[in-house]
Amino acid sequence: MTSNSMSDPRRQNKILRYKPPSTDSNPTLEDPTPDYMNLLGMIFSMCGLMLKLKWCAWIAVYCSFISFANSRSSEDTKQMMSSFMLSISAVVMSYLQNPQPMSPPW
């Protein structure tokens, strides 16, 4: 085998290491999906609790999972966990009051 340094056409002084852009200088790079899903989860869980709608409670659980999956590790998890627990309590309370399976809308 030949020496790699002789046949390598790349210029060593032109190689720059990639640095991801910071969100402080450009706030548009931040993904708002977890925040929207967190808000939707809270709205649907309150509808599930107040109106006793099982499908709202299940959508709230789904939104909470999406919010958890799309969040960053540096974000505050208290609000996310409270939204998740609120959606779980909406499902539990809706099935405690009426243990019948959810009837399809059609």
Side-chain angles (χ1 to χ4, degrees):
M1 276 186 97
T2 61
S3 164
N4 202 14
S5 64
M6 292 296 210
S7 63
D8 194 3
R10 296 177 288 186
R11 290 176 265 171
Q12 292 294 327
N13 60 347
K14 298 289 183 179
I15 297 175
L16 299 174
R17 186 172 180 87
Y18 174 74
K19 294 176 187 158
S22 66
T23 57
D24 297 335
S25 62
N26 193 0
T28 59
L29 295 175
E30 195 170 318
D31 187 23
T33 304
D35 296 331
Y36 291 146
M37 286 296 150
N38 201 2
L39 179 66
L40 276 176
M42 291 217 181
I43 290 171
F44 277 121
S45 53
M46 292 310 273
C47 287
L49 279 172
M50 300 294 182
L51 304 175
K52 298 179 182 84
L53 297 172
K54 292 178 185 175
W55 61 271
C56 278
W58 283 112
I59 291 175
V61 171
Y62 183 70
C63 288
S64 296
F65 276 130
I66 292 174
S67 174
F68 179 72
N70 288 327
S71 67
R72 295 189 174 174
S73 61
S74 61
E75 290 181 6
D76 187 27
T77 58
K78 288 180 184 177
Q79 184 177 5
M80 192 180 324
M81 289 307 291
S82 66
S83 171
F84 184 71
M85 295 305 290
L86 184 65
S87 63
I88 293 293
S89 66
V91 170
V92 168
M93 291 306 290
S94 65
Y95 278 96
L96 277 178
Q97 293 168 357
N98 184 11
Q100 298 296 323
M102 204 168 66
S103 59
W106 55 91

